[in-house]
Amino acid sequence: MARKTTTDDPLAPVTLAVGQEELLLDRAVQQVVAAARAADPDTDVRDLMPDALQPGTLAELTSPSLFAERKVVVVRNAQDLSADTIKDVKGYLGTPAEEITLVLLHAGGAKGKGLLDAARKAGAREVVCPKMTKPADRLAFVRSEFRATGRSATPEACQALVDAIGSDLRELASAVSQLVADVEGTIDEAVVARYYTGRAEASSFTVADRAVEGRAAEALEALRWAVSTGVPPVLITSALAQGVRSIGKLASAPRGARPGDLARELGMPPWKIDRVRQQMRGWSADGVAIALRAVAEADAGVKGGGDDPEYALEKAVVTIARAARAGRR
């Protein structure tokens, strides 16, 4: 989720939105534009890519208007601005014009770092929009989306939505909006399953769940469906790794501990502790080791180390399912 500095006025002279998460960058822009139009419905908005901002263009856009109108100037991919234009922007940062809000969108890397540093030194309001690569971050995003609407969703429902939709924040936000609009009361896992059944079946986490439960046939069926619908193989190996590691973590945890205590210690939500406890029946320490090796081999296979990524995944799924069943004999 976007985080802001202590200067939290959307109408600050300069807003710096830093990161590579497109949805959050767009929301940072939308917030500024909404605040400007609330102050002046006739606010003029200029949304520019780097090639449209030539030397001298910023001076023209920020020069005093005959009608003293409010203006928002948005510069996307500011790290790609030419050296001469960056000089113009740096010069402007020292003496920003009244009734003008400049919004700089910057990827945050080494490229164009001088402009980034100059904006921060000038006291720009900063909104951080990091790329959400971790499932936990996307889960937190979904929870925040429900909270923002004033609606409640169970932890299982939030997790099911992430499992079904995947990593695209725009799709996750859209799914939350749809559920909130269509469903009354608390949104639970059954509701999510009803709306997103086809996608949930194609989820990498469904493949992992069936595999660690020892249900090889169902895991293979889910795997083939996932691959056929375009789920990237690397996401499937990641889900398999998470499933096996969760079992290993819980197996080595103190016996008799409460789910809440385990959740804090292992970094899992309490509801997941209960799910993993059910999945780990039949697992042994040797089985976890075998499964982790199988995941590592599959990961290498799908990243170019093998000729057939799908075969590498199928082999890993079968090995994991066998390891899950070994302790039940």
Side-chain angles (χ1 to χ4, degrees):
M1 291 135 297
R3 302 187 304 276
K4 305 178 185 65
T5 59
T6 52
T7 303
D8 199 24
D9 180 6
L11 294 181
V14 181
T15 285
L16 181 64
V18 185
Q20 299 178 39
E21 192 61 71
E22 291 295 331
L23 173 65
L24 301 184
L25 290 169
D26 285 346
R27 284 184 173 182
V29 172
Q30 290 163 9
Q31 184 187 32
V32 172
V33 171
R37 286 183 168 156
D40 179 358
D42 295 324
T43 294
D44 181 22
V45 179
R46 304 294 181 91
D47 198 324
L48 307 171
M49 296 299 289
D51 58 358
L53 199 66
Q54 301 298 320
T57 305
L58 183 62
E60 294 176 10
L61 291 172
T62 57
S63 60
S65 167
L66 180 64
F67 302 102
E69 65 181 358
R70 182 177 289 278
K71 187 179 294 184
V72 175
V73 178
V74 180
V75 180
R76 296 182 184 271
N77 299 328
Q79 72 278 357
D80 295 331
L81 291 170
S82 69
D84 289 338
T85 303
I86 286 177
K87 287 181 183 178
D88 285 354
V89 176
K90 286 182 177 178
Y92 176 82
L93 292 173
T95 55
E98 292 186 10
E99 301 300 311
I100 304 287
T101 300
L102 176 64
V103 185
L104 299 174
L105 275 58
H106 194 292
K111 188 177 183 181
K113 189 173 184 298
L115 176 58
L116 196 62
D117 293 340
R120 286 168 172 162
K121 187 175 181 180
R125 167 182 177 261
E126 184 169 346
V127 182
V128 185
C129 309
K131 194 73 177 175
M132 294 191 184
T133 57
K134 297 178 180 178
D137 292 338
R138 295 192 285 273
L139 181 59
F141 171 78
V142 167
R143 288 172 175 165
S144 72
E145 289 291 290
F146 278 117
R147 282 197 299 270
T149 67
R151 295 289 300 279
S152 60
T154 66
E156 294 86 352
C158 293
Q159 183 65 59
L161 198 57
V162 172
D163 290 350
I165 300 298
S167 60
D168 191 310
L169 253 59
R170 290 187 190 279
E171 291 194 28
L172 285 169
S174 176
V176 170
S177 296
Q178 181 181 22
L179 289 169
V180 166
D182 293 356
V183 180
E184 295 182 359
T186 299
I187 295 164
D188 59 19
E189 189 174 12
V191 170
V192 174
R194 188 166 70 246
Y195 271 74
Y196 298 100
T197 252
R199 298 187 69 160
E201 289 172 357
S203 161
S204 55
F205 289 98
T206 300
V207 178
D209 284 342
R210 299 297 85 78
V212 299
E213 290 162 4
R215 296 154 65 179
E218 293 176 41
L220 287 171
E221 182 181 358
L223 170 63
R224 288 161 188 158
W225 178 254
V227 171
S228 71
T229 54
V231 176
V234 292
L235 292 185
I236 299 174
T237 55
S238 175
L240 290 170
Q242 287 184 50
V244 176
R245 286 178 189 141
S246 295
I247 287 170
K249 284 181 180 180
L250 193 55
S252 61
R255 293 186 178 276
R258 294 178 300 178
D261 295 333
L262 285 174
R264 285 188 293 273
E265 183 177 342
L266 302 179
M268 300 180 192
W271 65 265
K272 189 171 183 180
I273 296 290
D274 293 334
R275 175 182 290 181
V276 176
R277 273 180 170 159
Q278 295 174 359
Q279 293 175 334
M280 66 185 288
R281 294 168 186 163
W283 279 92
S284 65
D286 288 342
V288 171
I290 291 170
L292 286 174
R293 283 197 297 271
V295 172
E297 291 173 2
D299 190 55
V302 303
K303 291 179 179 176
D307 297 329
D308 189 342
E310 187 171 349
Y311 172 73
L313 288 169
E314 288 183 357
K315 183 179 177 182
V317 164
V318 171
T319 301
I320 292 168
R322 284 176 180 168
R325 296 195 306 269
R328 301 175 190 173
R329 295 169 184 166

